[in-house]
Amino acid sequence: MKALCYSRYGDRSVIHFREREPGDPGPGDVLVNVTAAAINPIDWKLREGQMKWIYPLKFPVTPGFDFCGTVAAIGKAVSNVRPGDRICGMSNRRAGAAMAEQCLCAAKAIALVPKGLSDEEAAGLPLAGLTALQGLRDRGQLHAGMRVMVTGASGGVGHLAVQVARRRGCRVAAVCGPDNREWVEGLGAEEVLNYREPDWLRRAGVFDLIYDAVGTIGFGRARPHLRTGGSYVTTLPGPAIWLDQFIRASIYRRRARTFLVKPSGVDLAELLRACKAAKLRIRVDRSYDWKNFAEAFAHSEGGHARGKVVLTLGAPDASRT
Ligand SMILES: NC(=O)c1ccc[n+]([C@@H]2O[C@H](COP(=O)([O-])OP(=O)(O)OC[C@H]3O[C@@H](n4cnc5c(N)ncnc54)[C@H](OP(=O)(O)O)[C@@H]3O)[C@@H](O)[C@H]2O)c1
């Protein structure tokens, strides 16, 4: 089968098409015929070696955590899906492996895609949606009535986080640039804050929870805007937030947390039910035929995606193999 692949750290020029075997499904695995795969920042951060000290890669690597497709084969212990089912999921493999004609994934990390959701939308949902849900619910202890700030509200994680918080009865202040104001407002944000204005944070007020989906505020700046006992949750792990979490937060009687998203078919099914009920909308900024993967990665790496960037799997361009 054809797969996108790279064999050393570097920019997107290290990626090429290559013939690879997906492997046989283990007892708890499914083999998927992939129709669409989304790009997430983690895909290019891993490839650039930004995380190699804590998360070294074993080459060759096929990137991509998010996929939609149909089940080609199942392992002996799998009972939640059958061959032919249309599913999406977040790969539990070390660096993903979804940008391929076929990929293996744990059956417990997938869910059935409801009718009405396109392959591109379904591929765009898992990693970003799970990050929004797990970050708000588990780390942020989200509950109805909270006043919540979401940064990066026009990005893959943020636009879903705004909706998750709204759906759970919170009042949401969404932080985005001026060009995204209108559609972010349409996601249900009570208030939209323009992060390009110099003093936007000073005027933001006080929150029960600040969900820093792009990790640009930091606990130090967020702290004066948290009520006593309030939480700051960032999607960007690192020494600063660990120090905040274990030392500074308790001094200031606030909580500071970070986390790594975990594949979960149960959580994914919850998000898909919300999509089916039109309570959660996933925005695909742009989908690219996977032969144009370099352009698609460039778009994601530019840092200004509006929602998700997705690859659709047609025939790969022979000139790139
Ligand atoms: N910890 C985890 O498990 C986990 C999981 C998923 C993602 N992440 C991390 O979370 C971050 C966001 O991921 P993503 O998929 O949402 O990225 P993304 O889709 O690439 O985010 C792009 C969006 O961020 C907005 N943005 C950039 N700077 C901003 C700022 N200072 N304030 C408000 N919005 C800003 C951009 O809006 P403009 O065009 O207006 O600038 C754009 O719409 C990434 O760093 C990713 O690695 C972590």
Side-chain angles (χ1 to χ4, degrees):
M1 64 148 193
K2 292 267 187 253
L4 290 180
C5 213
Y6 58 90
S7 297
R8 61 185 166 88
Y9 294 111
D11 63 20
R12 50 191 176 270
S13 68
V14 300
I15 312 174
H16 54 276
F17 278 106
R18 172 181 167 158
E19 223 27 74
R20 289 195 86 175
E21 286 312 313
D24 296 320
D29 291 337
V30 294
L31 179 66
V32 185
N33 289 327
V34 179
T35 53
I39 298 179
N40 288 285
I42 183 77
D43 297 319
W44 44 265
K45 289 182 183 180
L46 286 171
R47 190 201 66 225
E48 287 172 352
Q50 288 188 33
M51 301 165 79
K52 66 181 166 190
W53 308 116
I54 48 166
Y55 205 77
L57 298 178
K58 241 175 92 183
F59 298 116
V61 166
T62 289
F65 287 91
D66 279 342
F67 61 85
C68 175
T70 52
V71 175
I74 59 174
K76 284 200 294 273
V78 174
S79 57
N80 58 337
V81 290
R82 287 178 306 185
D85 283 345
R86 186 165 166 257
I87 54 144
C88 66
M90 176 183 159
S91 170
N92 61 328
R93 298 309 196 254
R94 196 163 170 76
M99 294 179 189
E101 286 171 326
Q102 293 193 312
C103 76
L104 283 175
C105 184
K108 61 182 185 202
I110 61 170
L112 292 167
V113 178
K115 286 199 181 85
L117 209 63
S118 71
D119 286 13
E120 289 92 330
E121 289 167 330
L125 180 67
L127 193 147
L130 294 170
T131 305
L133 180 64
Q134 294 171 2
L136 288 166
R137 181 194 62 192
D138 305 339
R139 290 294 183 273
Q141 301 174 335
L142 190 77
H143 57 263
M146 277 181 154
R147 184 165 189 245
V148 179
M149 177 196 285
V150 176
T151 71
S154 53
V157 174
H159 86 291
L160 296 167
V162 169
Q163 297 175 76
V164 167
R166 267 299 292 141
R167 202 165 64 87
R168 294 196 171 214
C170 300
R171 290 173 296 134
V172 180
V175 183
C176 65
D179 298 346
N180 291 313
R181 180 181 189 94
E182 210 170 301
W183 79 271
V184 165
E185 225 161 26
L187 301 174
E190 184 183 75
E191 201 181 336
V192 179
L193 303 164
N194 174 4
Y195 78 90
R196 290 182 202 262
E197 283 175 8
D199 56 350
W200 70 271
L201 188 54
R202 194 174 52 77
R203 290 187 278 109
V206 174
F207 296 86
D208 300 292
L209 169 61
I210 295 182
Y211 182 75
D212 199 357
V214 280
T216 46
I217 302 186
F219 178 69
R221 287 174 71 212
R223 186 183 52 75
H225 300 278
L226 286 172
R227 66 158 178 80
T228 305
S231 298
Y232 169 78
V233 176
T234 176
T235 58
L236 283 196
I241 184 66
W242 294 325
L243 200 66
D244 293 333
Q245 175 168 345
F246 296 113
I247 299 172
R248 293 177 66 204
S250 59
I251 297 170
Y252 292 110
R253 291 185 294 143
R254 270 96 177 143
R255 297 169 78 248
R257 291 284 184 275
T258 189
F259 67 105
L260 283 177
V261 61
K262 289 191 181 66
S264 163
V266 173
D267 285 350
L268 184 55
E270 178 180 332
L271 293 165
L272 287 161
R273 276 195 299 278
C275 290
K276 188 178 174 194
K279 290 181 174 154
L280 184 67
R281 279 175 286 155
I282 173 128
R283 175 168 172 155
V284 175
D285 181 0
R286 202 162 155 197
S287 66
Y288 296 80
D289 186 299
W290 73 328
K291 71 176 185 243
N292 300 320
F293 64 84
E295 212 184 312
F297 269 98
H299 184 22
S300 173
E301 289 167 27
H304 298 294
R306 293 171 163 178
K308 298 299 304 179
V309 180
V310 176
L311 299 175
T312 54
L313 273 69
D317 183 347
S319 67
R320 289 178 191 260
T321 57

XYZ file of all heavy atoms in Angstrom, residues 35-36 67-69 86-88 113-125 272 275 282 284 287 310 312:
196
model
N -9.888 6.874 4.099
C -10.409 7.756 3.047
C -9.997 9.210 3.270
O -9.905 9.983 2.328
C -11.948 7.683 2.986
O -12.466 7.934 4.305
C -12.420 6.306 2.515
N -9.772 9.579 4.521
C -9.338 10.952 4.832
C -8.526 10.930 6.119
O -8.772 10.103 7.002
C -10.551 11.869 5.005
N -8.022 9.804 11.440
C -8.442 9.211 10.168
C -9.944 8.943 10.154
O -10.594 8.820 11.195
C -7.708 7.882 9.916
C -7.987 6.858 10.983
C -9.104 6.047 10.920
C -7.155 6.749 12.082
C -9.383 5.130 11.924
C -7.422 5.836 13.095
C -8.542 5.025 13.013
N -10.466 8.829 8.918
C -11.804 8.283 8.689
C -11.632 7.221 7.612
O -10.736 7.336 6.758
C -12.742 9.391 8.206
S -14.378 8.776 7.765
N -12.447 6.203 7.643
C -12.343 5.160 6.622
C -13.319 4.041 6.902
O -14.256 4.201 7.696
N -18.212 2.219 8.608
C -17.531 3.514 8.427
C -17.184 4.065 9.807
O -18.058 4.270 10.649
C -18.475 4.455 7.672
C -17.881 5.771 7.278
C -18.788 6.424 6.229
N -18.444 7.798 6.063
C -19.126 8.825 6.571
N -20.226 8.622 7.280
N -18.724 10.060 6.365
N -15.908 4.291 10.006
C -15.452 4.682 11.343
C -14.466 5.858 11.254
O -13.935 6.156 10.184
C -14.720 3.507 12.043
C -13.584 2.987 11.147
C -15.669 2.373 12.383
C -12.391 2.567 11.926
N -14.233 6.462 12.407
C -13.110 7.389 12.500
C -12.406 7.119 13.824
O -12.939 6.420 14.687
C -13.554 8.843 12.386
S -14.577 9.424 13.741
N -19.092 6.363 12.429
C -19.403 7.722 11.949
C -20.885 7.773 11.569
O -21.345 6.965 10.759
C -18.546 8.082 10.716
C -18.915 9.469 10.195
C -17.064 8.021 11.061
N -21.636 8.714 12.132
C -23.057 8.802 11.773
C -23.244 9.357 10.363
O -22.377 10.075 9.854
C -23.624 9.778 12.805
C -22.468 10.575 13.275
C -21.240 9.723 13.124
N -24.385 9.005 9.767
C -24.717 9.590 8.456
C -24.808 11.103 8.601
O -25.157 11.604 9.667
C -26.086 9.067 7.987
C -26.070 7.636 7.519
C -27.313 7.363 6.664
C -27.330 5.928 6.200
N -27.913 5.006 7.185
N -24.494 11.820 7.549
C -24.602 13.271 7.609
C -23.270 13.948 7.885
O -23.135 15.153 7.717
N -22.298 13.160 8.322
C -20.966 13.725 8.559
C -20.068 13.273 7.408
O -20.009 12.069 7.109
C -20.436 13.175 9.888
C -19.468 14.047 10.685
C -20.151 15.339 11.105
C -18.988 13.300 11.926
N -19.380 14.186 6.763
C -18.510 13.805 5.631
C -17.254 13.119 6.149
O -16.918 13.234 7.337
C -18.129 15.052 4.828
O -17.237 15.839 5.583
N -16.548 12.440 5.255
C -15.294 11.793 5.652
C -14.291 12.829 6.164
O -13.563 12.581 7.132
C -14.671 11.056 4.446
C -15.424 9.774 4.128
O -16.536 9.578 4.660
O -14.898 8.959 3.335
N -14.262 13.983 5.513
C -13.321 15.027 5.927
C -13.646 15.535 7.332
O -12.764 15.730 8.166
C -13.345 16.219 4.943
C -12.738 15.919 3.588
C -13.776 15.442 2.578
O -14.780 14.813 2.986
O -13.584 15.674 1.375
N -14.943 15.743 7.589
C -15.343 16.207 8.926
C -15.009 15.148 9.976
O -14.480 15.469 11.049
C -16.843 16.508 8.946
C -17.217 17.753 8.161
C -18.714 17.864 7.915
O -19.399 16.822 7.811
O -19.199 18.992 7.804
N -15.324 13.897 9.649
C -15.084 12.815 10.617
C -13.587 12.656 10.883
O -13.176 12.388 12.015
C -15.679 11.512 10.103
N -12.760 12.846 9.858
C -11.309 12.727 10.051
C -10.780 13.887 10.882
O -9.799 13.747 11.614
C -10.595 12.686 8.699
N -11.432 15.033 10.768
C -10.948 16.217 11.483
C -11.315 16.227 12.960
O -10.752 16.988 13.740
N -12.246 15.380 13.343
C -12.774 15.465 14.713
C -11.907 14.850 15.812
O -11.758 15.465 16.879
C -14.176 14.810 14.746
C -14.860 14.827 16.120
C -15.209 16.253 16.551
C -16.126 13.972 16.101
N -19.267 12.416 18.488
C -19.995 12.119 17.251
C -21.507 12.195 17.452
O -22.241 12.626 16.555
C -19.581 10.739 16.718
C -18.171 10.702 16.108
C -17.641 9.273 16.029
C -18.151 11.346 14.723
N -22.349 15.702 17.158
C -22.340 16.126 15.745
C -23.652 15.707 15.081
O -24.276 16.474 14.349
C -21.182 15.486 14.979
S -19.570 16.115 15.458
N -18.080 20.635 13.131
C -16.644 20.649 12.877
C -16.402 21.417 11.587
O -17.061 21.169 10.583
C -16.056 19.233 12.828
C -14.609 19.235 12.390
C -16.811 18.278 11.949
C -13.736 18.492 13.332
N -14.107 22.232 8.521
C -12.936 21.861 7.730
C -12.537 23.113 6.966
O -13.258 23.575 6.088
C -13.241 20.687 6.775
C -12.043 20.407 5.881
C -13.628 19.441 7.567
N -9.662 20.979 2.524
C -9.181 19.603 2.346
C -8.365 19.552 1.058
O -8.665 20.239 0.084
C -10.326 18.601 2.351
O -11.159 18.783 1.258
N -7.352 18.916 6.206
C -7.579 17.480 6.006
C -7.010 17.027 4.659
O -7.053 17.773 3.675
C -9.106 17.185 6.062
C -9.402 15.721 5.774
C -9.672 17.572 7.427
N -7.445 14.151 1.681
C -8.313 13.080 1.187
C -7.457 12.147 0.354
O -6.531 12.593 -0.345
C -9.469 13.626 0.332
O -8.935 14.435 -0.712
C -10.419 14.449 1.173
